[in-house]
Coordinates of all heavy atoms in Angstrom, one line a residue:
M19 N 106.9 94.4 112.1 CA 108.3 93.8 111.8 C 109.4 94.8 112.0 O 109.3 95.9 111.5 CB 108.3 93.2 110.5 CG 107.4 92.1 110.2 SD 107.7 90.6 111.2 CE 109.1 90.1 110.2
A20 N 110.5 94.4 112.8 CA 111.5 95.3 113.0 C 112.5 95.4 111.8 O 112.8 94.3 111.4 CB 112.3 95.0 114.3
K21 N 112.9 96.5 111.5 CA 114.0 96.6 110.4 C 115.3 96.4 111.1 O 115.7 97.2 111.9 CB 113.9 97.8 109.6 CG 112.6 97.9 108.7 CD 112.6 99.2 108.0 CE 111.4 99.4 107.0 NZ 111.4 100.6 106.3
K22 N 116.1 95.5 110.6 CA 117.4 95.3 111.1 C 118.5 96.0 110.2 O 118.5 95.6 109.0 CB 117.8 93.9 111.4 CG 116.8 93.3 112.3 CD 117.1 91.8 112.7 CE 116.2 91.2 113.6 NZ 116.5 89.8 114.1
R23 N 119.2 96.8 110.7 CA 120.2 97.6 109.9 C 121.7 97.3 110.5 O 121.9 97.4 111.6 CB 120.0 99.1 109.9 CG 118.7 99.4 109.3 CD 118.5 100.9 109.4 NE 117.3 101.3 110.0 CZ 116.8 102.5 110.2 NH1 117.7 103.5 110.0 NH2 115.7 102.8 110.8
F24 N 122.6 97.1 109.5 CA 123.9 96.9 110.0 C 124.6 98.3 110.3 O 124.2 99.3 109.8 CB 124.8 96.4 108.8 CG 124.7 94.9 108.8 CD1 123.7 94.2 107.9 CD2 125.5 94.0 109.6 CE1 123.6 92.9 107.9 CE2 125.4 92.7 109.6 CZ 124.4 92.0 108.7
I25 N 125.4 98.3 111.3 CA 126.1 99.5 111.9 C 127.5 99.5 111.1 O 128.3 98.8 111.4 CB 126.3 99.5 113.4 CG1 124.9 99.2 114.0 CG2 126.9 100.8 113.8 CD1 125.0 98.9 115.5
A26 N 127.6 100.6 110.3 CA 128.9 100.7 109.5 C 130.1 101.0 110.5 O 129.9 101.9 111.3 CB 128.8 101.8 108.5
G27 N 131.1 100.2 110.3 CA 132.2 100.5 111.1 C 132.3 100.0 112.5 O 133.2 100.2 113.3
A28 N 131.2 99.3 112.9 CA 131.1 98.9 114.3 C 131.8 97.6 114.5 O 131.9 96.7 113.7 CB 129.6 98.6 114.6
T29 N 132.4 97.5 115.7 CA 133.1 96.3 116.0 C 132.4 95.6 117.2 O 132.1 96.3 118.2 CB 134.6 96.6 116.5 OG1 135.2 97.3 115.4 CG2 135.4 95.4 116.8
C30 N 132.3 94.3 117.1 CA 131.6 93.6 118.2 C 132.5 93.5 119.4 O 133.7 93.2 119.4 CB 131.4 92.2 117.7 SG 130.7 91.1 119.1
P31 N 131.9 94.0 120.6 CA 132.7 94.0 121.8 C 133.0 92.6 122.4 O 133.8 92.4 123.2 CB 131.8 94.7 122.8 CG 130.5 94.5 122.2 CD 130.6 94.4 120.8
S32 N 132.3 91.6 121.8 CA 132.5 90.2 122.3 C 133.5 89.4 121.4 O 134.5 88.8 122.0 CB 131.1 89.5 122.3 OG 131.3 88.2 122.8
C33 N 133.4 89.5 120.2 CA 134.3 88.6 119.3 C 135.2 89.6 118.5 O 136.2 89.0 117.8 CB 133.5 87.7 118.3 SG 132.6 88.6 117.0
N34 N 135.0 90.9 118.6 CA 136.0 91.9 117.9 C 136.0 91.7 116.5 O 136.9 92.2 115.8 CB 137.4 91.7 118.5 CG 137.5 92.1 119.9 OD1 136.9 93.2 120.3 ND2 138.3 91.4 120.7
E35 N 134.9 91.2 115.9 CA 134.8 91.2 114.4 C 134.2 92.5 114.0 O 133.3 93.1 114.7 CB 133.9 90.1 114.0 CG 134.5 88.7 114.0 CD 135.5 88.5 112.9 OE1 135.4 89.2 111.9 OE2 136.4 87.7 113.2
G36 N 134.6 93.1 112.8 CA 134.1 94.3 112.3 C 132.8 94.1 111.4 O 132.7 93.1 110.7
D37 N 132.0 95.1 111.3 CA 130.9 95.2 110.4 C 130.0 93.9 110.6 O 129.5 93.4 109.6 CB 131.4 95.2 108.9 CG 132.0 96.6 108.7 OD1 131.7 97.5 109.3 OD2 133.0 96.6 107.9
T38 N 129.9 93.5 111.8 CA 129.0 92.3 112.0 C 127.8 92.7 112.9 O 126.9 91.9 113.1 CB 129.7 91.2 112.7 OG1 130.2 91.7 114.0 CG2 130.8 90.7 111.9
M39 N 127.8 94.0 113.3 CA 126.8 94.5 114.2 C 125.5 95.0 113.4 O 125.7 95.8 112.5 CB 127.3 95.5 115.1 CG 128.6 95.1 116.0 SD 128.3 93.8 117.0 CE 127.3 94.6 118.3
R40 N 124.4 94.6 113.9 CA 123.2 95.2 113.3 C 122.2 95.6 114.5 O 122.3 95.1 115.6 CB 122.5 94.3 112.4 CG 122.1 93.0 112.9 CD 121.4 92.2 111.8 NE 121.0 90.8 112.5 CZ 120.4 89.9 111.8 NH1 120.2 90.1 110.5 NH2 120.0 88.8 112.3
W41 N 121.4 96.6 114.2 CA 120.5 97.1 115.3 C 119.1 97.2 114.8 O 118.8 97.3 113.6 CB 121.0 98.3 115.9 CG 120.9 99.5 115.0 CD1 121.7 99.9 113.9 CD2 119.7 100.4 115.0 NE1 121.1 101.0 113.3 CE2 119.9 101.3 114.0 CE3 118.6 100.5 115.8 CZ2 119.1 102.4 113.7 CZ3 117.7 101.6 115.5 CH2 118.0 102.5 114.5
W42 N 118.2 97.1 115.7 CA 116.8 97.4 115.4 C 116.1 97.9 116.7 O 116.7 97.8 117.8 CB 116.1 96.2 114.9 CG 116.0 95.0 115.8 CD1 115.0 94.7 116.6 CD2 117.0 94.1 116.1 NE1 115.3 93.6 117.3 CE2 116.5 93.2 117.0 CE3 118.3 93.9 115.6 CZ2 117.2 92.1 117.5 CZ3 119.0 92.7 116.1 CH2 118.5 92.0 117.0
Q43 N 114.9 98.4 116.6 CA 114.1 98.8 117.7 C 113.2 97.8 118.1 O 112.5 97.2 117.3 CB 113.4 100.1 117.5 CG 114.4 101.3 117.5 CD 113.7 102.6 117.8 OE1 112.5 102.8 117.5 NE2 114.3 103.5 118.4
E44 N 113.1 97.6 119.4 CA 112.2 96.5 120.0 C 111.5 97.2 121.3 O 112.2 97.4 122.2 CB 113.0 95.3 120.4 CG 112.2 94.1 120.8 CD 113.1 92.9 121.0 OE1 113.6 92.3 120.0 OE2 113.4 92.6 122.2
H45 N 110.3 97.4 121.1 CA 109.5 98.1 122.2 C 110.2 99.4 122.7 O 110.5 99.5 123.9 CB 109.4 97.1 123.4 CG 108.8 95.8 123.0 ND1 107.5 95.7 122.6 CD2 109.3 94.6 123.1 CE1 107.2 94.4 122.4 NE2 108.2 93.7 122.7
H46 N 110.6 100.1 121.7 CA 111.2 101.5 121.9 C 112.7 101.4 122.5 O 113.2 102.3 123.0 CB 110.4 102.4 122.8 CG 109.0 102.6 122.2 ND1 108.8 103.3 121.1 CD2 107.7 102.1 122.6 CE1 107.5 103.3 120.9 NE2 106.9 102.6 121.7
V47 N 113.2 100.2 122.5 CA 114.6 100.0 123.1 C 115.4 99.5 121.8 O 115.0 98.7 121.1 CB 114.6 98.9 124.1 CG1 116.1 98.6 124.5 CG2 113.9 99.3 125.3
E48 N 116.6 100.2 121.7 CA 117.5 99.8 120.6 C 118.2 98.5 120.9 O 118.8 98.5 122.0 CB 118.4 100.9 120.3 CG 117.7 102.1 119.6 CD 118.8 103.2 119.2 OE1 120.0 102.8 119.1 OE2 118.4 104.3 119.0
V49 N 118.1 97.5 120.2 CA 118.8 96.3 120.3 C 119.9 96.1 119.3 O 119.7 96.3 118.1 CB 117.9 95.1 120.2 CG1 118.6 93.7 120.6 CG2 116.7 95.3 121.2
V50 N 121.1 95.8 119.7 CA 122.2 95.5 118.7 C 122.6 94.1 118.9 O 122.5 93.4 119.9 CB 123.4 96.4 119.0 CG1 123.1 97.9 118.8 CG2 123.9 96.2 120.4
E51 N 122.9 93.5 117.8 CA 123.2 92.0 117.7 C 124.4 91.8 116.7 O 124.5 92.4 115.7 CB 122.0 91.3 117.2 CG 122.3 89.7 117.0 CD 121.2 89.1 116.2 OE1 121.0 89.4 115.0 OE2 120.5 88.2 116.8
C52 N 125.3 90.9 117.2 CA 126.4 90.5 116.3 C 126.0 89.3 115.6 O 125.6 88.3 116.2 CB 127.7 90.3 117.1 SG 129.0 89.6 116.2
V53 N 126.0 89.3 114.3 CA 125.6 88.2 113.5 C 126.6 87.1 113.5 O 126.4 86.0 113.0 CB 125.3 88.5 112.1 CG1 124.1 89.6 112.0 CG2 126.5 89.1 111.3
K54 N 127.9 87.5 113.9 CA 129.0 86.5 113.9 C 128.9 85.6 115.1 O 128.9 84.4 115.0 CB 130.3 87.2 114.0 CG 131.5 86.4 113.7 CD 131.8 86.2 112.2 CE 133.1 85.5 112.1 NZ 133.4 85.4 110.6
C55 N 128.8 86.1 116.4 CA 128.9 85.3 117.6 C 127.5 85.3 118.3 O 127.4 84.6 119.2 CB 129.9 85.8 118.4 SG 129.6 87.4 119.2
G56 N 126.6 86.1 117.9 CA 125.2 86.1 118.5 C 125.2 87.1 119.7 O 124.2 87.0 120.5
H57 N 126.3 87.8 120.0 CA 126.2 88.8 121.1 C 125.1 89.8 120.9 O 124.9 90.3 119.8 CB 127.6 89.5 121.2 CG 127.6 90.7 122.2 ND1 127.8 90.5 123.5 CD2 127.4 91.9 122.0 CE1 127.7 91.7 124.1 NE2 127.5 92.6 123.2
T58 N 124.3 90.1 122.0 CA 123.3 91.1 121.9 C 123.5 92.1 123.0 O 124.0 91.8 124.1 CB 121.9 90.6 122.0 OG1 121.8 89.7 123.1 CG2 121.6 89.6 120.8
D59 N 123.1 93.3 122.8 CA 123.1 94.4 123.8 C 121.9 95.3 123.6 O 121.3 95.4 122.4 CB 124.3 95.2 123.7 CG 124.7 95.8 125.0 OD1 123.9 95.7 125.9 OD2 125.8 96.3 125.2
R60 N 121.5 96.0 124.6 CA 120.3 96.8 124.5 C 120.7 98.2 124.9 O 121.4 98.3 125.9 CB 119.1 96.3 125.4 CG 118.5 95.1 124.8 CD 117.7 94.3 125.9 NE 117.2 93.0 125.3 CZ 116.1 92.8 124.6 NH1 115.4 93.8 124.3 NH2 115.8 91.7 124.2
R61 N 120.1 99.1 124.3 CA 120.4 100.5 124.6 C 119.2 101.2 125.2 O 118.1 100.9 124.8 CB 120.8 101.3 123.4 CG 122.3 101.0 122.9 CD 122.5 101.7 121.7 NE 122.3 103.1 121.8 CZ 122.5 104.0 120.7 NH1 122.9 103.5 119.6 NH2 122.2 105.3 120.9
S62 N 119.4 102.1 126.1 CA 118.3 102.8 126.8 C 117.5 103.7 125.7 O 118.1 104.0 124.7 CB 118.8 103.9 127.8 OG 119.6 103.2 128.7
P63 N 116.3 103.7 125.9 CA 115.4 104.5 124.9 C 115.9 105.9 124.8 O 116.3 106.5 125.8 CB 114.0 104.4 125.5 CG 114.0 103.3 126.5 CD 115.4 103.2 127.0
V64 N 115.9 106.4 123.6 CA 116.4 107.8 123.4 C 115.4 108.8 124.0 O 115.9 109.7 124.7 CB 116.5 108.1 121.9 CG1 116.9 109.6 121.7 CG2 117.6 107.1 121.3
A65 N 114.2 108.5 123.9 CA 113.2 109.4 124.5 C 112.0 108.6 124.9 O 111.4 107.9 124.0 CB 112.7 110.5 123.4
S66 N 111.7 108.7 126.1 CA 110.5 107.9 126.7 C 110.1 108.5 128.0 O 110.7 109.4 128.5 CB 110.8 106.4 126.8 OG 111.5 106.2 128.0
E67 N 109.1 108.0 128.6 CA 108.6 108.4 129.9 C 109.7 108.1 131.0 O 109.6 108.6 132.1 CB 107.3 107.9 130.2 CG 107.2 106.3 130.3 CD 106.8 105.7 129.0 OE1 107.2 106.3 127.9 OE2 106.2 104.7 129.0
D68 N 110.6 107.2 130.6 CA 111.6 106.7 131.6 C 112.9 107.6 131.4 O 113.9 107.1 131.9 CB 111.8 105.3 131.5 CG 110.6 104.4 131.7 OD1 109.9 104.9 132.6 OD2 110.5 103.4 131.1
S69 N 112.9 108.7 130.7 CA 114.1 109.3 130.4 C 114.8 109.8 131.6 O 116.0 109.9 131.6 CB 113.8 110.6 129.5 OG 112.9 111.5 130.1
E70 N 114.1 110.1 132.7 CA 114.8 110.5 133.9 C 115.7 109.4 134.5 O 116.7 109.7 135.1 CB 113.8 111.0 134.9 CG 113.1 112.3 134.6 CD 112.3 112.8 135.7 OE1 112.4 112.4 136.9 OE2 111.4 113.6 135.4
S71 N 115.3 108.2 134.4 CA 116.1 107.1 134.9 C 117.1 106.5 133.9 O 117.8 105.6 134.2 CB 115.1 105.9 135.4 OG 114.4 105.4 134.2
A72 N 117.2 107.1 132.7 CA 118.2 106.7 131.7 C 119.1 107.9 131.4 O 118.8 108.6 130.4 CB 117.4 106.3 130.4
P73 N 120.1 108.1 132.2 CA 121.0 109.3 131.9 C 121.7 109.2 130.6 O 121.9 108.1 130.1 CB 122.0 109.2 133.1 CG 121.9 107.8 133.6 CD 120.5 107.3 133.3
K74 N 122.0 110.4 130.1 CA 122.7 110.4 128.8 C 124.1 109.8 128.9 O 124.6 109.4 127.9 CB 122.8 111.8 128.3 CG 121.4 112.4 128.0 CD 121.6 113.9 127.5 CE 120.2 114.5 127.1 NZ 120.3 115.9 126.8
Q75 N 124.7 109.9 130.1 CA 126.0 109.3 130.3 C 126.0 107.9 129.9 O 127.0 107.4 129.2 CB 126.4 109.4 131.7 CG 127.6 110.3 132.0 CD 128.0 110.4 133.4 OE1 127.2 110.0 134.3 NE2 129.1 110.9 133.7
Q76 N 125.0 107.1 130.2 CA 124.9 105.7 129.9 C 124.9 105.5 128.4 O 125.6 104.7 127.9 CB 123.7 105.1 130.5 CG 123.7 103.6 130.4 CD 122.4 103.0 130.9 OE1 121.5 103.7 131.6 NE2 122.2 101.7 130.7
D77 N 124.2 106.4 127.7 CA 124.1 106.3 126.2 C 125.5 106.4 125.6 O 125.9 105.6 124.8 CB 123.3 107.4 125.7 CG 122.1 106.8 124.9 OD1 121.9 105.6 124.9 OD2 121.4 107.6 124.3
A78 N 126.3 107.4 126.1 CA 127.6 107.6 125.6 C 128.5 106.5 125.8 O 129.4 106.1 124.9 CB 128.2 108.9 126.3
Q79 N 128.4 105.9 127.0 CA 129.3 104.7 127.2 C 128.9 103.6 126.2 O 129.8 102.9 125.7 CB 129.0 104.2 128.7 CG 129.7 105.0 129.7 CD 129.5 104.5 131.1 OE1 128.5 103.8 131.3 NE2 130.2 105.0 132.1
V80 N 127.7 103.3 126.0 CA 127.3 102.2 125.1 C 127.7 102.4 123.7 O 128.3 101.6 123.1 CB 125.8 102.0 125.1 CG1 125.4 101.0 124.1 CG2 125.3 101.6 126.5
I81 N 127.6 103.7 123.2 CA 128.1 104.0 121.9 C 129.6 103.9 121.8 O 130.1 103.4 120.8 CB 127.7 105.5 121.6 CG1 126.2 105.7 121.5 CG2 128.5 106.0 120.3 CD1 125.7 107.1 121.4
G82 N 130.3 104.1 122.9 CA 131.7 104.0 122.8 C 132.2 102.5 122.5 O 133.2 102.3 121.9
I83 N 131.4 101.6 123.0 CA 131.8 100.2 122.7 C 131.9 99.9 121.3 O 132.7 99.1 120.9 CB 130.7 99.3 123.4 CG1 130.7 99.5 124.9 CG2 131.0 97.9 123.0 CD1 129.6 98.8 125.6
F84 N 131.1 100.6 120.5 CA 131.1 100.2 119.0 C 132.1 100.9 118.2 O 132.0 100.7 117.0 CB 129.6 100.4 118.6 CG 128.7 99.5 119.3 CD1 127.7 100.1 120.1 CD2 128.6 98.2 119.3 CE1 126.9 99.4 120.9 CE2 127.9 97.4 120.0 CZ 126.9 98.0 120.8
K85 N 132.9 101.8 118.8 CA 133.9 102.4 118.0 C 135.0 101.4 117.6 O 135.4 100.6 118.5 CB 134.5 103.6 118.9 CG 133.6 104.8 118.9 CD 134.3 105.9 119.7 CE 133.4 107.1 119.9 NZ 134.0 108.1 120.7
P86 N 135.4 101.5 116.3 CA 136.5 100.7 116.0 C 137.8 101.0 116.8 O 138.0 102.1 117.0 CB 136.7 101.0 114.4 CG 135.5 101.8 114.0 CD 134.9 102.5 115.3
Q87 N 138.4 100.0 117.1 CA 139.6 100.1 117.9 C 140.9 100.4 117.1 O 141.0 100.1 116.0 CB 139.9 98.9 118.7 CG 138.8 98.6 119.7 CD 139.1 97.4 120.5 OE1 139.8 96.6 120.2 NE2 138.3 97.2 121.6
Ligands
ZN6 ZN1 130.5 89.1 117.8

């Protein structure tokens, strides 16, 4: 069973509501979901055999989405 945790201070990129985002790991991929509008997003695995095809740059961009505006 995946543990779902809320992301403190995160803002949904879809509905712009704050503190509605939660995340969990699914098959070594981080999944984030907005409980308000149902928006979901997936992040590249932090460490896996596919690390070469998942540049760190992409990670930084995804994290940027969740910064409060
Ligand atoms: Zn939302």
Side-chain angles (χ1 to χ4, degrees):
M19 294 292 285
K21 289 182 180 178
K22 299 185 179 182
R23 296 180 232 174
F24 277 94
I25 307 169
T29 301
C30 175
S32 182
C33 69
N34 291 320
E35 287 286 337
D37 294 327
T38 61
M39 305 297 290
R40 61 183 181 177
W41 73 276
W42 65 96
Q43 281 204 330
E44 195 175 278
H45 305 299
H46 303 292
V47 176
E48 288 186 21
V49 184
V50 294
E51 175 191 65
C52 172
V53 298
K54 190 87 173 182
C55 70
H57 170 83
T58 58
D59 204 352
R60 288 163 191 275
R61 288 175 50 180
S62 303
V64 174
S66 78
E67 62 268 33
D68 296 326
S69 58
E70 284 185 24
S71 61
K74 292 177 181 177
Q75 240 180 349
Q76 186 184 352
D77 238 7
Q79 284 181 343
V80 174
I81 292 170
I83 293 172
F84 302 111
K85 284 182 181 174
Q87 294 179 346

